[in-house]
Amino acid sequence: MGLFGSSAKVYRPAPEVDLGPGSGELYISPNVKAPRVAGLLVKIFVWVLEMPIVGWVLLYILKKDNLINKLVSEAEIPEPPLFTSTHRWEDTPEQNVSLTKPGLSPAERVREAVDCLPMRLESTLAADASQSSLKRWTIMDFSRAYSSGETTPVQVAKRFLAAVKESSGPTMNMAFFISCNPEDVLKQAEESTLRYQTGTPLSVMDGVLVAVKDEIDCLPYPTTGGTRWLGKARPCEADAACVAQLRACGAVLAGKTNMHELGAGTSGINPHHGSARNPYNVGKVAGGSSSGSAAVVCAGLCPVALGVDGGGSVRMPAALCGVVGFKPTAGRLSNAGVLPLNWTVGMVGILAGTVEDAVVAYSAIVDQSQPSYLRPELNLPMLTSTPSISNVRLAKYGKWFNDSSEDIRTCCDKALQTLRAQYGWETLDVTVPEIEEMRLAHYVTIGSECTASLAKYLDKLKRSEIGWDVRVALAVYGSFSSRAYLNSQRLRNRQMFFHKEIFKTADVIVSPMTGVTAYTLQDDALNSGELDYINGAALIRYSIAGNFLGLPAITVMVGQDKGGLPIGLQFIGRPWSEATLLHIAFAMQEACSKNHRKPVVFYDLLKKD
């Protein structure tokens, strides 16, 4: 029994929980008790929150009303804590894959990935730009155009820079990038053009533009984490491991994309660098925290971008912007050179216009630096044979799946019916227990790790240098006790058990990617940020298992709502089963992509001069 008489939940041992479709486990839909505030109201809220004693009482009430105390901090949990989401390598059978040889360079892995891609006719977007249907240029389209001499990396880079200038201007104000150095972009493009002229491109990624979230080190740029101060306090001295691998493939690093400050939000609203806007509707949010990375891919500026996914921060904006968002198994990619905003839930992820491009980028940046006896084998999906894959079992928890807007629920159900009709894949009804409990435990974990990792900077920093909404987040994060953190890790242990049990009978767990589509970007939030925990909880509803449990997950666009905004469907897989996820996502893409509409803001970088 806690202060003010709050009763805590007593959990049964995990093996006693029924995971079947008829389980009596209670599904708790997030009942967030916090009104949306922005502008002057958020400033007043921060001033009160940062007062001695009064602020502490307010924080306690907020945590109590939103069930953190009842379900996490003060709960009785029989399991011991599990502190990391790493998974022992197991030889999981996967269909129609190509096992890569150990010790290959990034460029050599990319060449193996290309052999797994289906042959396609060139896109016809430029020939009929008046059509409203969407057809994206892929990495292979750029590579063929460069190799044939139809265009050059320099010409494409110049079109890209012109598009960035136009979209960043006061008329559009898309705020895609925090930093973009035209001289550096052109220098890389010139080097790539010379390689094509001499017949020595490094890979099919040579000359292809790739954007990088400003949470990942990439020379010559500072890494700001969406702030005004972190780039000075923590100098960027080398490329992150994933960036170095892309550079080794000849990719043109296009600049540092915008993000929610310190990754501490789901909207992408950033009062310091402008708020990234959704290319499908510039009055809507792009999602966060990898907002700029999702938006640049959506708008056609880059076929691929890197993000970091700590709580759906790659997959969530990918869904809102109608692109592919892919987060591999924890440990599959290196976090070297990534801001350590959290240690046990975040990792690099890929945003791409197509599943094929996600496969190519994934092959380039996979971490092969570990000793061979620790390194999981790398399977690449042979997308040429996806249609022949059989007996895929998709686990669906109906109460959770249906806790979304009507448009999303209807669209995602229709997509599953399409998979069943075209491939005969089976949907299994299951129960995924304690979904809301997992969300809150993840929130305590990511918040505690964020404040701990930034403590040496925050202790010396003036509060006025931090956005108002992030000051609220940091105040809440810093209020979590050691008991709350340890109980969160005990809940992590329970969820590991539940998911392993589900994966004994299912290949993937399927859900919508978000509970709502992109919501309105309101003017009063542009300079202060906003507190909108209701929409935030809806956006993050389906994201948590991928991060808290280190599971691979991918989202792909399956349709649009009545307002024309994208809807994403998510597949969560067994540890190390990235190839299976990519196969399933590719099948979903092929079944649903024909009727996708182009974004309102869209650039064709392969047009002829």
Side-chain angles (χ1 to χ4, degrees):
M1 188 74 72
L3 189 64
F4 307 138
S6 62
S7 59
K9 178 173 179 176
V10 178
Y11 289 82
R12 288 181 293 149
E16 296 179 8
V17 176
D18 183 3
L19 306 182
S23 173
E25 286 296 306
L26 177 66
Y27 173 73
I28 303 175
S29 180
N31 183 22
V32 178
K33 295 184 178 179
R36 179 195 178 274
V37 293
L40 178 60
L41 287 177
V42 75
K43 295 178 183 180
I44 293 172
F45 187 78
V46 170
W47 291 330
V48 174
L49 195 63
E50 293 178 350
M51 287 181 180
I53 302 177
V54 175
W56 180 88
V57 172
L58 179 57
L59 283 169
Y60 183 89
I61 293 171
L62 285 172
K63 290 185 288 186
K64 178 177 179 292
D65 285 350
N66 289 285
L67 301 182
I68 291 176
N69 292 347
K70 178 177 182 177
L71 300 182
V72 181
S73 304
E74 299 165 4
E76 295 183 27
I77 306 168
E79 285 75 24
L82 178 66
F83 292 101
T84 65
S85 57
T86 53
H87 295 272
R88 180 170 56 89
W89 175 58
E90 297 177 357
D91 186 12
T92 303
E94 295 187 280
Q95 300 180 54
N96 300 2
V97 298
S98 172
L99 175 62
T100 62
K101 306 180 186 71
L104 296 181
S105 68
E108 289 170 333
R109 293 197 300 272
V110 165
R111 282 195 282 274
E112 295 218 345
V114 170
D115 291 338
C116 296
L117 302 183
M119 295 295 295
R120 293 184 183 274
L121 297 175
E122 279 200 5
S123 305
T124 56
L125 176 63
D128 193 359
S130 63
Q131 288 190 356
S132 62
S133 59
L134 174 62
K135 187 70 179 75
R136 295 189 175 279
W137 296 119
T138 67
I139 289 172
M140 293 305 299
D141 288 324
F142 283 99
S143 179
R144 292 184 189 111
Y146 297 155
S147 296
S148 68
E150 178 183 341
T151 190
T152 68
V154 167
Q155 289 173 305
V156 169
K158 288 180 178 178
R159 294 176 192 134
F160 164 79
L161 292 170
V164 171
K165 183 177 180 180
E166 178 185 69
S167 62
S168 302
T171 302
M172 299 178 69
N173 196 26
M174 298 299 291
F176 291 145
F177 286 92
I178 288 177
S179 303
C180 179
N181 185 320
E183 291 78 13
D184 181 67
V185 172
L186 285 173
K187 180 176 180 291
Q188 294 178 75
E190 288 166 357
E191 293 170 351
S192 177
T193 298
L194 181 59
R195 288 193 291 270
Y196 276 101
Q197 289 173 345
T198 57
T200 58
L202 299 176
S203 76
V204 295
M205 294 196 75
D206 209 326
V208 174
L209 291 154
V210 178
V212 179
K213 184 182 183 182
D214 207 1
E215 193 176 334
I216 303 170
D217 287 342
C218 177
L219 295 173
Y221 305 99
T223 302
T224 74
T227 71
R228 287 289 188 190
W229 53 269
L230 189 53
K232 300 173 184 176
R234 178 192 173 276
C236 174
E237 299 175 345
D239 286 335
C242 54
V243 172
Q245 290 168 305
L246 289 170
R247 206 183 289 275
C249 293
V252 174
L253 284 308
K256 303 298 284 296
T257 54
N258 206 350
M259 61 178 287
H260 205 109
E261 184 180 1
L262 295 178
T266 58
S267 65
I269 296 173
N270 188 311
H272 308 299
H273 301 288
S275 300
R277 295 175 180 270
N278 194 312
Y280 273 93
N281 182 330
V282 298
K284 304 291 184 179
V285 299
S289 62
S290 303
S291 50
S293 290
V296 296
V297 173
C298 175
L301 290 172
C302 302
V304 170
L306 295 184
V308 179
D309 196 315
S313 292
V314 162
R315 292 162 287 143
M316 186 196 316
L320 298 190
C321 292
V323 299
V324 176
F326 178 42
K327 189 210 83 66
T329 309
R332 181 68 90 174
L333 307 180
S334 172
N335 274 346
V338 179
L339 288 180
L341 298 181
N342 42 76
W343 292 290
T344 70
V345 297
M347 66 174 293
V348 174
I350 296 166
L351 298 109
T354 65
V355 175
E356 300 96 307
D357 285 351
V359 170
V360 174
Y362 169 61
S363 70
I365 66 174
V366 70
D367 183 16
Q368 297 287 73
S369 65
Q370 303 174 64
S372 58
Y373 60 88
L374 294 176
R375 184 170 62 235
E377 293 179 339
L378 175 61
N379 288 328
L380 294 174
M382 298 179 66
L383 300 184
T384 51
S385 59
T386 294
S388 66
I389 290 181
S390 60
N391 302 322
V392 173
R393 297 158 299 176
L394 305 107
K396 175 185 174 184
Y397 179 25
K399 293 179 182 178
W400 182 46
F401 190 100
N402 293 331
D403 192 11
S404 54
S405 72
E406 182 180 353
D407 283 357
I408 291 176
R409 186 166 58 249
T410 301
C411 181
C412 290
D413 267 328
K414 183 179 178 182
L416 286 182
Q417 291 169 14
T418 301
L419 283 184
R420 183 178 182 88
Q422 292 192 10
Y423 296 91
W425 295 347
E426 182 182 3
T427 300
L428 306 176
D429 291 326
V430 301
T431 296
V432 184
E434 302 167 14
I435 293 286
E436 178 64 357
E437 291 87 337
M438 179 167 60
R439 182 183 75 86
L440 295 174
H442 169 270
Y443 183 60
V444 171
T445 301
I446 194 172
S448 300
E449 293 179 358
C450 180
T451 51
S453 68
L454 294 173
K456 64 180 179 180
Y457 305 119
L458 296 175
D459 291 344
K460 303 173 185 177
L461 196 66
K462 294 180 180 179
R463 290 176 178 173
S464 59
E465 295 191 56
I466 306 172
W468 294 97
D469 63 323
V470 176
R471 284 168 68 174
V472 173
L474 292 175
V476 176
Y477 294 170
S479 73
F480 294 134
S481 66
S482 58
R483 181 181 176 187
Y485 184 81
L486 287 168
N487 270 0
S488 296
Q489 310 323 304
R490 298 166 91 175
L491 289 171
R492 176 184 259 166
N493 198 353
R494 291 174 65 82
Q495 286 294 335
M496 282 285 202
F497 175 83
F498 295 148
H499 281 72
K500 286 179 180 178
E501 289 297 303
I502 290 171
F503 286 130
K504 287 180 180 178
T505 56
D507 297 294
V508 298
I509 298 171
V510 62
S511 75
M513 188 61 247
T514 60
V516 294
T517 52
Y519 60 88
T520 300
L521 175 59
Q522 300 189 41
D523 290 342
D524 63 351
L526 297 179
N527 295 321
S528 66
E530 69 177 4
L531 305 177
D532 188 348
Y533 293 118
I534 294 175
N535 272 321
L539 288 180
I540 206 169
R541 182 161 300 147
Y542 303 98
S543 301
I544 301 306
N547 300 106
F548 200 43
L549 310 182
L551 299 172
I554 192 167
T555 181
V556 62
M557 182 178 176
V558 292
Q560 291 163 296
D561 69 6
K562 293 182 180 69
L565 294 169
I567 294 171
L569 186 69
Q570 175 181 227
F571 302 98
I572 305 167
R574 297 187 182 100
W576 314 117
S577 66
E578 288 85 0
T580 295
L581 280 183
L582 289 161
H583 267 306
I584 295 171
F586 180 69
M588 194 77 269
Q589 171 185 280
E590 295 302 281
C592 294
S593 63
K594 295 178 179 60
N595 297 319
H596 293 345
R597 284 173 277 178
K598 279 195 298 185
V600 174
V601 177
F602 192 78
Y603 293 95
D604 173 13
L605 298 188
L606 281 184
K607 65 183 178 183
K608 297 181 180 179
D609 292 329

